Amino acid sequence: MGSPTVHITPLALIKRVWEKIAPLRLAETSWDNVGPMIEAPYPNPNHRQVLLTIDLTPSVAAEALALPSCSLIVSYHPPIFRGLKSLTLQDPLQNSLLKLSAKGISVFSPHTSLDATPNGINNWLIKPFLPMSSSNSTITNSTQIEGFEGAGMGRIVNLISPLNVHQAVRMIKDHLELEHVQLATPEIEKPISSIAVCAGSGASLFKGVEADLYLTGEMSHHEVLAAVHAGTSVILTNHTNTERPYLSQVLQGWLEKELNSEVDLHDDTPNGKWEVLVSKADRDPLRVV
């Protein structure tokens, strides 16, 4: 008689697969909180749906709970950032986590590991400018790991031929599927020959970075003023609008492929393929009205 098949849990599987996508060692662990957020004690081995989201809001949790076979949420932003003193149903976040765990759904957060990986969010953010670039590099380097050479935070791209700022605006709006962005320019607009990008909130990363254009989700009023005073134009999109399209444009297909590759290699059970979905309830909390 052969030994019984040992089912790998969804959380153990995503940890193994994530080493091929964006190892957690690439993250800014000095302040970030990446990896497993909550591990469901009794996952259903037949449930093979993953839900991708930027934020784990109550609406996203409800969406996951309504799916027929969800066993894992990959929430880009970690829903737990600081220590919890209790877990109660009165707190909306804790309520969501408790309900998800009770239904066998675990939560995993990659955050800055996905920013830093070479095929990550920041490299995707400069995608429209790559065909016209002469160089493309990180702003700061992350831990170097074999197979992930060139990992780091932010990107700066130098263009072969300069653009005017309004051309850059159109390209960014098309890429991010946005109708509106916020733009700040020096009194005398200069051609855009270099662009620095940082998904989310980029002001701290941009300190000391010389570029004709900063692209990020958000900066404070005084940070924008300082950039403009130094001759740099600024495009702001709201924080998560620099991150969310990456889920459907890149990560969804990539993660599904890697999950099913692992299953084909290590899992002999006939439970079917993994399906990766992008949340429909996830959206930036701010909107233009």
Side-chain angles (χ1 to χ4, degrees):
M1 181 182 293
S3 60
T5 301
V6 177
H7 300 295
I8 185 170
T9 66
L11 194 59
L13 179 62
I14 193 69
K15 287 168 67 177
R16 189 159 72 189
V17 163
W18 209 256
E19 286 297 302
K20 299 181 180 181
I21 293 175
L24 298 181
R25 289 167 289 167
L26 297 177
E28 291 282 4
T29 51
S30 61
W31 58 266
D32 202 2
N33 184 33
V34 296
M37 295 290 112
I38 187 166
E39 181 172 10
Y42 306 113
N44 187 324
N46 295 311
H47 286 185
R48 295 197 168 195
Q49 286 180 321
V50 178
L51 186 65
L52 302 181
T53 186
I54 295 297
D55 292 302
L56 180 53
T57 62
S59 296
V60 172
E63 181 183 12
L65 291 166
L67 290 171
S69 60
C70 184
S71 62
L72 183 70
I73 295 175
V74 175
S75 175
Y76 169 73
H77 286 141
I80 301 174
F81 231 105
R82 298 172 182 84
L84 300 177
K85 294 184 177 181
S86 64
L87 282 169
T88 71
L89 296 176
Q90 283 65 52
D91 180 273
L93 170 61
Q94 295 170 20
N95 183 300
S96 295
L97 294 175
L98 288 167
K99 288 179 179 178
L100 291 167
S101 178
K103 289 291 185 178
I105 300 173
S106 299
V107 180
F108 177 87
S109 293
H111 204 200
T112 54
S113 74
L114 199 56
D115 294 350
T117 197
N119 193 29
I121 292 181
N122 284 307
N123 207 44
W124 164 82
L125 197 52
I126 59 168
K127 183 180 177 181
F129 305 105
L130 292 181
M132 58 186 70
S133 67
S134 59
S135 66
N136 162 28
S137 59
T138 58
I139 293 176
T140 64
N141 294 324
S142 295
T143 301
Q144 294 303 294
I145 300 172
E146 184 177 356
F148 295 86
E149 292 80 7
M153 297 297 171
R155 307 295 294 192
I156 184 163
V157 59
N158 291 293
L159 305 180
I160 297 170
S161 300
L163 299 169
N164 68 55
V165 71
H166 301 287
Q167 288 175 307
V169 166
R170 285 196 299 272
M171 294 170 71
I172 290 164
K173 288 165 70 172
D174 288 345
H175 183 49
L176 299 183
E177 301 172 357
L178 296 174
E179 291 186 19
H180 305 283
V181 297
Q182 291 180 297
L183 172 66
T185 59
E187 287 188 16
I188 301 176
E189 292 182 11
K190 63 180 181 180
I192 305 299
S193 296
S194 56
I195 303 169
V197 306
C198 178
S201 182
S204 61
L205 192 65
F206 291 153
K207 286 181 180 177
V209 174
E210 293 185 6
D212 299 323
L213 173 65
Y214 291 162
L215 167 61
T216 189
E218 61 180 342
M219 293 170 62
S220 76
H221 173 75
H222 294 288
E223 289 163 343
V224 172
L225 287 178
V228 170
H229 179 73
T232 298
S233 295
V234 176
I235 294 177
L236 305 179
T237 68
N238 284 346
H239 187 110
T240 63
N241 288 332
T242 54
E243 304 158 340
R244 186 168 291 102
Y246 176 86
L247 300 182
S248 57
Q249 292 186 24
V250 180
L251 185 59
Q252 181 181 20
W254 187 9
L255 179 57
E256 189 169 275
K257 177 182 176 182
E258 295 293 352
L259 285 169
N260 287 310
S261 175
E262 284 290 322
V263 168
D264 290 341
L265 285 173
H266 302 289
D267 192 343
D268 297 326
T269 57
N271 292 331
K273 297 289 188 179
W274 282 87
E275 180 185 19
V276 177
L277 306 170
V278 177
S279 172
K280 297 178 181 177
D282 179 48
R283 56 179 59 90
D284 197 279
L286 292 171
R287 56 194 176 97
V288 177
V289 296

